[in-house]
Structure formats: structure tokens, C-alpha cells
Amino acid sequence: MLDYISGILESKSKDSITVGVSGIGYEAVVTVSTFSKLPEIGNQVKIYVVESVSGMYGGVICLYGFLTKEERDMYLLIKDEVPGIGAKKAMEYIDKISKSFADFKTAVISKNPSMLHAVFGFTKKTADKLIAALKDKIIGVEVSGKEKWTNVNLTENKLILEAIEGLTALGYKEQQARTAVNKIYEQDENITLENLITKSLQEF
């Protein structure tokens, strides 16, 4: 079983990368957040991997790549413990969670679906499912980095949600709106709703 791949980054896209090791090119599926942190093509890279077998009779082996062990551990936890979640869907979840593993862990342990919705963009139904499946098991997963949003109270969560709803009403996609709003809110947690929307619009 492969643990990691260390070699030259030969190609990269928002969906996958190829790492050359001793004349062999290993292709791995990656998240958009991982793609954004990769070095330039031609540089050395180390990718932690998970092997997934798919197809009839286990005919296809797919590699999923991560830059850190904590990212891989969180991926395996979600894929194995959350009902109805396959390998690809788990990667989509990790892309959202990579914003702050520390906050995600705290939100699950404290059973805070509002934070999972407002900060990470999970639907309320998915947030409840994640909490139910992971609340007793995520404690053992080590994460690095400091929490960014754990102390955001319910009123502030509503402010973020209202700003996102305002932007989507103007025609912007929800994920784009969420990214812009969270960026501005991080800079000024005492900002008003009107200013939050106005400054977020400048991010597009």
C-alpha cells in the first residue's frame, strides 16, 4: 500500500496531478485547495495518497492526493464514517473543510450546524449528517492551525448568511459569494451588513 509519493511535479490541473518518480508517472486526484498550494511544474513535491479501487472486479486503481497527513486523515474519516459518501464526494467535502480543519473539528464536536453552514458552505441537512456521524470519532483526528471562526456567535453567523443571500440574489454563485464574504468578514468582524455586502462585491 502506498503511503506517499515524492518526486517531480510533471503536470497539474484543478482535478489531478502527475508526479514523476524513477521513470514512472503517478497520477492523483486532488482538490482545488490542494492545487492552489502546489509548487510550479518541475519542482519537487511530496503527496500523501489514498488508493481507491473502482470498476467491476476491482479493475481500476485511483489515487487521491493530499499535501498533509491531517488532510488525508480527515478525508478517510469522512469517506469511511459518513453514510452515503464515496471517494469523490469526500474530496468535495475536504475542499470545503480545508479552509480551517481546526474550526471544522470544533464545530462537529460542539454540534454547531450553523457554523458548518455559514463558514464551510454545507447545507443544513449535510451539516446535521456530518455531526451525527463524526461527533464521537473526530476527537482522535489531529489537526494543526488555529481556529478562525469558533468564537463567531449566532448573530454574526446570521450576518454572514444574510450577506451571502444578498449576493446570490444579485446573481452571484453561492460559493463565490461565500468566499468573498468570509474574506471581508475576517478583516473586520464588527462590519455592518451593508458594508459587508458592498466590500464583498469588490472581490468579484
Side-chain angles (χ1 to χ4, degrees):
M1 183 177 71
L2 290 175
D3 180 33
Y4 65 85
I5 299 170
S6 181
I8 301 299
L9 182 62
E10 295 186 348
S11 68
K12 63 177 180 177
S13 70
K14 292 183 179 180
D15 298 319
S16 65
I17 63 173
T18 299
V19 180
V21 183
S22 301
I24 300 175
Y26 291 91
E27 183 179 22
V29 177
V30 296
T31 63
V32 175
S33 59
T34 293
F35 167 79
S36 66
K37 299 171 186 175
L38 289 168
E40 294 300 317
I41 292 175
N43 286 296
Q44 188 79 16
V45 68
K46 182 176 182 179
I47 300 292
Y48 295 93
V49 295
V50 171
E51 297 178 73
S52 179
V53 180
S54 61
M56 293 186 63
Y57 311 111
V60 179
I61 297 178
C62 183
L63 297 180
Y64 292 87
F66 310 90
L67 286 175
T68 65
K69 286 186 176 181
E70 69 168 358
E71 190 176 22
R72 182 177 64 179
D73 290 345
M74 191 70 75
Y75 167 82
L76 288 171
L77 180 69
I78 290 172
K79 182 176 73 69
D80 295 340
E81 300 297 339
V82 181
I85 300 299
K88 290 184 179 180
K89 180 60 69 173
M91 289 293 278
E92 293 177 15
Y93 285 12
I94 286 297
D95 201 27
K96 295 180 178 182
I97 297 168
S98 63
K99 182 181 295 183
S100 174
F101 287 104
D103 280 298
F104 177 77
K105 181 177 180 179
T106 299
V108 170
I109 292 174
S110 62
K111 303 177 183 178
N112 189 343
S114 295
M115 177 175 287
L116 293 178
H117 177 60
V119 175
F120 299 99
F122 290 109
T123 64
K124 293 179 180 179
K125 181 179 179 181
T126 299
D128 289 338
K129 183 165 69 171
L130 287 169
I131 290 171
L134 304 178
K135 65 182 187 297
D136 297 323
K137 298 174 181 177
I138 199 172
I139 297 174
V141 178
E142 294 186 10
V143 299
S144 60
K146 295 181 179 180
E147 297 162 340
K148 302 176 183 178
W149 292 283
T150 296
N151 294 322
V152 176
N153 61 38
L154 185 58
T155 300
E156 291 168 336
N157 277 338
K158 287 182 178 179
L159 179 69
I160 293 173
L161 290 174
E162 288 175 1
I164 293 171
E165 290 173 358
L167 291 174
T168 54
L170 293 174
Y172 294 98
K173 292 182 178 180
E174 182 179 348
Q175 190 55 48
Q176 292 177 315
R178 191 178 303 281
T179 299
V181 168
N182 281 322
K183 179 180 179 180
I184 299 303
Y185 185 80
E186 281 186 73
Q187 298 171 2
D188 182 7
E189 296 182 358
N190 297 313
I191 195 170
T192 64
L193 176 60
E194 181 180 356
N195 286 335
L196 180 56
I197 292 176
T198 299
K199 290 186 177 182
S200 296
L201 283 169
Q202 298 172 5
E203 295 296 315
F204 295 101

